[in-house]
Amino acid sequence: MKKRLVVIGNGMAAARVVEEILKRRRDAFEIVMFGAEPYGNYNRILLSNVLNQSQEAAAIMMNPLSWYEENGIKLHAGVKALHIDRENQIVLGKRLPNGVAAYLPIEKSFPEGSAVREAYDFLIIATGSRPFVPPIEGFGGQGTFLFRTIDDCQQIAQYAKDCQRAIVIGGGLLGLEAARGLITHDLDVTVVEAAPQLMPAQLDLEAAQLLKRAMETMGLRVALDTITSQITYRDDKVSGVAFKNGTQMETDMLVVSAGIRPITEVAVDCGLKVNKGIVCDDQMKTSDPKIFAVGECVEHRGVLYGLVDPIWQQAVVLAEVITECGRDAVYEGSKVGTKLKVMGVELASFGEKNPSESTDEVIVYRDPNRGIYKKLIVADNKIKGGILLGDIEMADDLMPMFMNGTKVPENRAEILFGAVSGETLLDVNDLPDSAQICNCNGVCKRQIVDVIKNEQRTSVSAIGEVTKAGKGCGSCRGLIAQIIEATIGKVSYDPREHYYVAGIPLEKSLLVREIKNREMKSVSTVFAQLADGIEDAGSKNGLASLLKIMWPKEYEDERDARFINDRVHANIQKDGSFSVVPRIFGGVTSPDELLRIAQAAVKYHVKMVKITGGQRIDLLGVKKADLPAIWKDIGMPSGHAYTKAFRTCKSCVGTDFCRYGVGDAISMAQKIEMRFQGLECPHKVKMAASGCPRNCAESYVKDVGIVAIEGDQWEIYIGGAAGSIVRKGDLLTTVNTHDDVLCIVGRFLQYYREHGKYLERTYGFVERVGMDILKAILIKDTLGICSQLDERIQEAVNAFKDPWKEAETPAYAHQFDGPQLVEVVGEVNNNG
Amino acid sequence: MQRNMLFNLGSVNDIPLGQGRCFIVKGEEIAVFRSRNGDISAIENKCPHREGPLAEGMMGNGLVVCPLHGHKFDLGTGQGSEHNECIQIYNVLLQHGEMILEFPCEIFNQKKENNASECLTL
Ligand SMILES: Cc1cc2nc3c(=O)[nH]c(=O)nc-3n(C[C@H](O)[C@H](O)[C@H](O)COP(=O)(O)OP(=O)(O)OC[C@H]3O[C@@H](n4cnc5c(N)ncnc54)[C@H](O)[C@@H]3O)c2cc1C
Ligand code: SF4
Ligand code: FES
């Protein structure tokens, strides 16, 4: 029978430990969780975004309620565990009454029938912390708040609506986050801190002074060395505070964020060993071997942690131990460091802030005008601590060196500014086996080395296939290559990484040559001639895209080689219905078009009509069989919102209406869209045209962005992005007329079409090829190919056909048919 | 011994080469594929992952790729690329260019207990 595992708490530590357990042994336990908050687990780190309303509460959920269901976990959401009966191995909980903050202590009583009872074989306590309220007379009335949960944020945001002034007590990380949130509600905010500096836990005095200056320029008031003694009320609402030094300050609301304290009542109540936190050994066990603890509520070797990194490490060890996958796993404590952004100021802080021994070296660089401060403390050639403010690029090298005790270079300047050679400072040979390499997927050096040695995986991608390392944000891929090199001397490049598509063993330029030489014009011919007739489903789309780019007119369009979206020219949705986005050139539509769209939406029972980010209208939830009819009714061309092609060109109102406009952005955008509509590319291409550098159409973050500047000129940016990756585009060139813009943009697109890898966005392409080279080829014409590029893009433009015309003449029989009903014709016995 | 009901799905030519089509058989959605070399295969239409419509997927080399999140399924065995995912497969016979689907009564009975009397005998 499965063992029962009960978890008290459902925050970041609790959910992570359960994930780690499931990862190791999916079916080992029947899991029950108590969570005082009425939600799934969310990313508490992002709460300040909820407070400043840049993110919805739903957007920071990491484990929504459906996750628990999908993984067979019973979650008591909104139920607080109040008692552990260790003798009978039972946890008793009670539903929290409405409006009671999840972290506040409540009375341990179970009126008739109110107890939620769960038996356990093993128990994990992950109750986290509660905000600490210093002794201030009068805290708790209307207009006073704490800052720890989604509910707190929503109450603060709600109350702030009717306020002009706010005071935040506490000038640490969380206090400043709270202040930032309140400033976005247009409040006049003062941060009151008892210490003589901001962020005393992370910064030294000098860095704190720089930070204070930066905060003040952003409109925040800061009162240091100030201790709050009393809160005053008028009409039962907060009206001000009085300070120990005798002064007073008026305010409309007050947020206290003065540190945290571990939540330990359940542990104290049942007699577990508790000091400041719940005492755990190196295997995360409490004084009762059936009970573990993890997260902020834990005290390990006398230390409490208030950041997620150490908690992730604890969670891994606990999971190893409890699943018996690694009975000897031990947690030996963490060195802590963080990278943060406080009101837009980036900072990193790790280890000691000030020298402690007379032999400690202190290396400092200051550039107060630019708000930059860097300080490192070095002893025995190793980093003991550091603070980076304003420019934290080196943190990615320095923090792992600090965590792992790596030796620093002799030339100390290199520590602060990077190696003169441009190489990274970090030498993988110096990293211990346990060093975490891939932070996204939690893979350490030893796992990677094992795979290299035992499974003969010698390329970065092959290692990713086995361990998932490098498959998250990808920033550790360089390190993985270094590890391979250090282990076996040489990194091999998996040739498949360079194939244009997996099913044809050729890199793009060779494939293009073969296709040209043999004049192959359909996907099935390519498979027949270059892959022994084996049709790899995953390679079809890439080949189709390439062939269409190479043979704009003669390409033989076999629809089975296309993804469903390209077969029926609409975007498949999760329920199997489709979305319809008509082309709205430059984002300008008309009452007539809107009427037709509205009527069609009603007629075909469209589930949602949504304005898209690309200044168009999306009709969602259309049945496949209705597509031809709805296109006809709308009477507008396809917007190609479903395919790897040029999508849209956003515009601002430019000189037509805007008082700042210096160029006519609307007609620019319309011309671009008219010319390049439907143009097939390695990936989607989004564009924008703005009438001045205020950039209201967001041109700087588009694949191609056009910006009008003084003097009747247009700047052309390429390689911008604002999706999962955000990148400002690079200036390709500046030109004088609309026609020049169309010419250069077309040239770039054609070059990208011919040389981009399949599914490589322009940002990746621009970085891979390099801006200098692109400028040389496309502007200076160093290769002498510009006129050919111009010709070929013209050919592609000429070959354009609106795919929605297939409403009149389908490309093949049953193209838009839905499921077909069939009738039984007979019954047979079958002995086979 | 197993009893099968037979269904005529119509001419093979009604399925475009290299594509799939969805048929509703006794309330069950069945995806039928016609590969470029002429093989016909039939599987349940619902992807076990999040119910993606497999008939709309791209096929090749004996596999179909779900259009929603790319899980792959073997058209001959029903085995999915995720080891815990497997789908029901069905037999299709070709008679004079018409596709005849064999649908086990058992499945039918399990799924539609109350309509079982509709089973006809040839
Ligand atoms: C605004 C903010 C910003 C932060 N920024 C950062 C940052 O940038 N970097 C960083 O590393 N860390 C940051 N942190 C800290 C980080 O969020 C915490 O370290 C982490 O959430 C601790 O995880 P935990 O599971 O131990 O506690 P929590 O996430 O607090 O989870 C504990 C949960 O258990 C519940 N609970 C308590 N008692 C019971 C009970 N008896 N029964 C049932 N449920 C119970 C609580 O209500 C809570 O939901 C930030 C924290 C805040 C508040
Ligand atoms: S980008 Fe310039 S011209 Fe266009 S709307 Fe904004 S301010 Fe006006
Ligand atoms: S629904 Fe088929 S892969 Fe997700």
Side-chain angles (χ1 to χ4, degrees), chain A residues 559 567-569 624 806 809-817:
Chain A
R559 286 297 164 86
R567 288 182 194 162
V568 301
H569 316 300
K624 181 167 141 193
E806 285 171 19
T809 31
Y812 56 93
H814 309 294
Q815 184 179 4
F816 299 105
D817 282 4

Side-chain angles (χ1 to χ4, degrees), chain A residues 9 11-13 34 36-37 44-45 81 102 127-128 148 174 295-296 306-308:
Chain A
M12 300 189 72
F34 283 89
E37 294 185 68
R44 207 171 292 287
I45 295 177
T127 44
R148 177 81 193 174
L174 299 188
E296 283 187 348
L307 293 169
V308 293

Side-chain angles (χ1 to χ4, degrees), chain B residues 6-121:
Chain B
L6 302 181
F7 292 84
N8 188 341
L9 305 180
S11 160
V12 275
N13 296 322
D14 282 345
I15 302 186
L17 261 193
Q19 295 196 30
R21 263 190 88 188
C22 176
F23 294 90
I24 301 181
V25 173
K26 288 286 166 196
E28 289 298 310
E29 291 195 4
I30 303 216
V32 182
F33 295 88
R34 178 184 178 206
S35 76
R36 279 195 167 262
N37 60 22
D39 293 345
I40 303 289
S41 22
I43 58 174
E44 65 177 299
N45 189 38
K46 243 189 217 167
C47 175
H49 176 227
R50 299 266 176 82
E51 308 196 346
L54 294 172
E56 313 285 22
M58 289 173 62
M59 65 176 298
N61 204 16
L63 294 176
V64 58
V65 187
C66 176
L68 293 196
H69 316 96
H71 293 199
K72 300 190 183 86
F73 298 91
D74 188 312
L75 290 169
T77 64
Q79 178 56 50
S81 50
E82 313 292 302
H83 65 91
N84 55 348
E85 288 180 356
C86 189
I87 49 173
Q88 177 74 38
I89 55 168
Y90 299 93
N91 246 348
V92 182
L93 316 166
L94 278 182
Q95 283 178 3
H96 319 294
E98 310 256 292
M99 300 174 289
I100 309 294
L101 176 91
E102 293 186 353
F103 192 80
C105 281
E106 215 184 302
I107 295 187
F108 171 67
N109 289 338
Q110 270 165 20
K111 291 187 172 166
K112 302 259 155 28
E113 274 177 318
N114 37 357
N115 300 347
S117 58
E118 278 180 36
C119 268
L120 298 177
T121 310

Side-chain angles (χ1 to χ4, degrees), chain A residues 7-15 34-37 41-48 76 79-82 102-103 126-129 147-149 173-174 177 260 263 265-266 294-297 305-312 337-340:
Chain A
V7 183
I8 300 183
N10 180 33
M12 300 189 72
F34 283 89
E37 294 185 68
N41 168 48
Y42 57 87
N43 190 344
R44 207 171 292 287
I45 295 177
L46 297 178
L47 271 187
S48 33
H76 295 292
V79 176
K80 191 156 189 167
L82 292 175
Y103 45 74
T127 44
S129 311
F147 179 38
R148 177 81 193 174
T149 60
L173 164 64
L174 299 188
E177 293 266 5
I260 53 173
I263 298 180
E265 295 91 69
V266 266
V294 62
E296 283 187 348
C297 60
Y305 295 96
L307 293 169
V308 293
D309 273 351
I311 295 176
W312 297 164
T338 43
K339 283 201 291 185
L340 324 150

